[in-house]
Amino acid sequence: MVRIDRNPALASLRFILITVTGVSFLFAGVVSALFDGPFRYVLGYLLIYAVFIGLIFGIVALRYRGLSWDSDKQTARFGKHVVPLESITEAWRTMSDTRGSAAYLTYRFISTTGHSVRVLIVGTPLKGLTETGLAELERFVTAIPIDDGSHSDGQLTEAQHVLIDSITPDGGTSRVGRAPLLHELRERRGVDFLRSAVPDQKPEAQPHPASDARLHAAQAADDSSARQYLVAHRPRGAQRARRMLFSLISIVVVVACVTIAVAVVLETIRGSQLDSGTNAVIGSVVGSSLFAGVLLYAGWCIAADRDVRGLRNTAKAWLNSRDATRRERGLALPLFAGWNEPAPGARLRNLLSFASAMIGMTGVVSGPVLIVQSYSLLTAAIAFGVGLVFSALAIMGYVKSHRERRASARELIVLAGPRLLPSGEAETLP
């Protein structure tokens, strides 16, 4: 059998070793209490180092168990299980992004026998497939009988679902067929998808250069019209309020920082702490600035949400003002601005969710602390219960925000139509 690349942990071994080397220093002191003698810290360090390495490799091995296949025997190995190629009828694509710290693109193949396997295509900090692995996976995808187009919902194609996962900040998961997977694999290998051999693709289905030129010219005209429409019809009140509130927030932050800096300079000059009256004044200024900053930020969130709502309504109005032929070309690029920001209401909800999370965490931690400090059991239970309620509200808010981000990405894909699809895919829109 041909194995499709190696374990992602082995591919990222250098990163893992360096990271664990640094992290182990933080826990070696605690673990060293398990040993006696002059080398107990070293023994503690080696023990925690080995534990971390084992956990990382174990978790990665369980999640990505390894995929091998044999084209002659028409079988594939999912970890320890061997399944017929003809039984692999389902594929899922997952894009996950933690906004800077980690991002992964994963495929999951499912057999009708009930077994499945995940393959890390590309990622950071763990590395995905090499060029050889991508090429071998492409051959594997070509050989298995997953369907094309059977998972579209009548409004969006599989390619559009893939785009939704890609442009949603947190990513997402979609069931896909062969064509989107081959397209993505060949794109990552630098292969021209339209000129490569695709099963059941007819040469005449490929776009003609002349028709492409006419389409690009028409889209350029749409973009010019949209820019003029946006200047003439975009609501300006929320935009002005947003800028004004941002300026006020900046002023408040500067006042707080300058006040703290003045206090530090005065203490340095005097060589002693400030008197209680001066400390009270400084504390009042800083505290008032922080309170005003929170209120102004809440106001800015409301203004920004209204501004985004205005942008989206303007974009939809422009699209509705077009004739049927022009609407088929999709939303013009200048009008994408309303979807480049969080959905209306998301900013204020995230602020409230963060506040709820802080209150919830404080309540949950305070419950046991109050018991230790000899407060009544009822008081501790109330604090703990309030913490749980606010924690649940925070989780609900974050979940709703994630769903809204995905719904917002879906709305943009629907309105944009062929503007966010490769030319070869545009003709397959339902």
Side-chain angles (χ1 to χ4, degrees):
M1 283 192 173
V2 178
R3 182 179 174 88
I4 299 179
D5 232 328
R6 54 183 175 173
N7 187 296
L10 292 176
S12 310
L13 184 60
R14 180 180 178 185
F15 168 80
I16 293 174
L17 293 178
I18 293 174
T19 302
V20 173
T21 298
V23 173
S24 297
F25 279 112
L26 301 177
F27 298 93
V30 177
V31 180
S32 64
L34 300 174
F35 303 96
D36 295 321
F39 299 104
R40 62 180 185 178
Y41 184 85
V42 175
L43 293 174
Y45 179 85
L46 293 176
L47 175 61
I48 198 65
Y49 191 93
V51 169
F52 280 144
I53 291 293
L55 283 174
I56 292 173
F57 274 83
I59 292 172
V60 173
L62 287 174
R63 183 166 179 81
Y64 306 105
R65 292 178 296 162
L67 170 62
S68 306
W69 74 297
D70 190 325
S71 59
D72 296 329
K73 296 182 180 180
Q74 290 292 292
T75 58
R77 184 183 296 277
F78 291 0
K80 297 180 180 180
H81 304 284
V82 177
V83 299
L85 289 184
E86 63 182 11
S87 70
I88 307 172
T89 59
E90 191 173 330
W92 292 79
R93 177 188 182 275
T94 299
M95 173 71 76
S96 60
D97 188 355
T98 57
R99 302 183 184 183
S101 59
Y104 298 103
L105 172 62
T106 305
Y107 294 166
R108 183 187 179 202
F109 300 100
I110 302 178
S111 168
T112 54
T113 62
H115 303 297
S116 65
V117 67
R118 289 184 178 88
V119 180
L120 179 60
I121 307 304
V122 63
T124 180
L126 294 181
K127 296 180 181 179
L129 299 180
T130 61
E131 178 76 16
T132 302
L134 290 171
E136 191 61 41
L137 183 61
E138 179 186 331
R139 287 191 285 271
F140 171 76
V141 171
T142 304
I144 58 179
I146 52 177
D147 299 327
D148 283 332
S150 60
H151 315 301
S152 61
D153 56 9
Q155 188 178 23
L156 298 179
T157 65
E158 288 181 337
Q160 289 175 308
H161 281 293
V162 168
L163 280 174
I164 291 174
D165 296 334
S166 299
I167 68 176
T168 301
D170 300 330
T173 300
S174 295
R175 184 176 177 180
V176 293
R178 180 186 293 110
L181 297 183
L182 291 178
H183 186 183
E184 189 165 52
L185 290 172
R186 288 164 181 164
E187 186 178 57
R188 294 192 177 279
R189 292 177 55 217
V191 178
D192 188 342
F193 178 66
L194 294 176
R195 294 183 181 178
S196 58
V198 182
D200 303 326
Q201 181 169 334
K202 299 178 181 179
E204 60 268 24
Q206 299 180 7
H208 193 274
S211 63
D212 272 356
R214 288 193 296 270
L215 177 61
H216 292 159
Q219 289 177 342
D222 289 343
D223 292 345
S224 177
S225 170
R227 278 190 287 269
Q228 297 174 9
Y229 190 91
L230 189 61
V231 171
H233 296 87
R234 177 182 179 178
R236 300 293 179 182
Q239 185 185 26
R240 296 190 188 97
R242 183 177 180 178
R243 292 174 178 174
M244 181 188 69
L245 288 168
F246 182 80
S247 299
L248 292 175
I249 292 172
S250 301
I251 292 172
V252 166
V253 171
V254 169
V255 169
C257 293
V258 169
T259 303
I260 294 173
V262 168
V264 172
V265 170
L266 289 177
E267 285 192 350
T268 303
I269 294 175
R270 293 183 179 184
S272 61
Q273 294 184 350
L274 300 177
D275 57 82
S276 58
T278 305
N279 276 329
V281 172
I282 292 174
S284 298
V285 172
V286 174
S288 300
S289 299
L290 293 176
F291 182 72
V294 172
L295 293 181
L296 290 171
Y297 179 72
W300 179 85
C301 289
I302 295 173
D305 289 339
R306 290 179 62 87
D307 186 33
V308 172
R309 185 178 291 108
L311 278 172
R312 295 190 179 190
N313 290 339
T314 301
K316 294 173 185 176
W318 176 85
L319 192 60
N320 291 333
S321 69
R322 316 288 283 174
D323 57 46
T325 302
R326 293 175 178 176
R327 281 200 300 270
E328 288 181 357
R329 293 199 293 265
L331 194 67
L333 293 180
L335 299 176
F336 284 17
W339 286 267
N340 290 336
E341 298 189 61
R347 287 185 173 90
L348 187 59
R349 182 181 301 106
N350 289 338
L351 176 62
L352 295 176
S353 297
F354 176 78
S356 296
M358 293 298 100
I359 296 173
M361 183 174 62
T362 302
V364 169
V365 172
S366 297
V369 172
L370 291 175
I371 294 177
V372 172
Q373 294 183 350
S374 302
Y375 282 84
S376 67
L377 184 61
L378 178 61
T379 302
I382 291 175
F384 189 78
V386 170
L388 289 179
V389 170
F390 276 93
S391 297
L393 291 175
I395 293 172
M396 291 170 59
Y398 287 129
V399 170
K400 185 173 179 60
S401 294
H402 171 73
R403 291 176 177 174
E404 281 194 346
R405 285 192 289 270
R406 186 167 180 84
S408 179
R410 178 187 176 89
E411 183 180 44
L412 175 59
I413 294 298
V414 171
L415 294 176
R419 296 301 292 265
L420 284 180
L421 283 176
S423 57
E425 294 284 349
E427 299 179 2
T428 66
L429 287 173

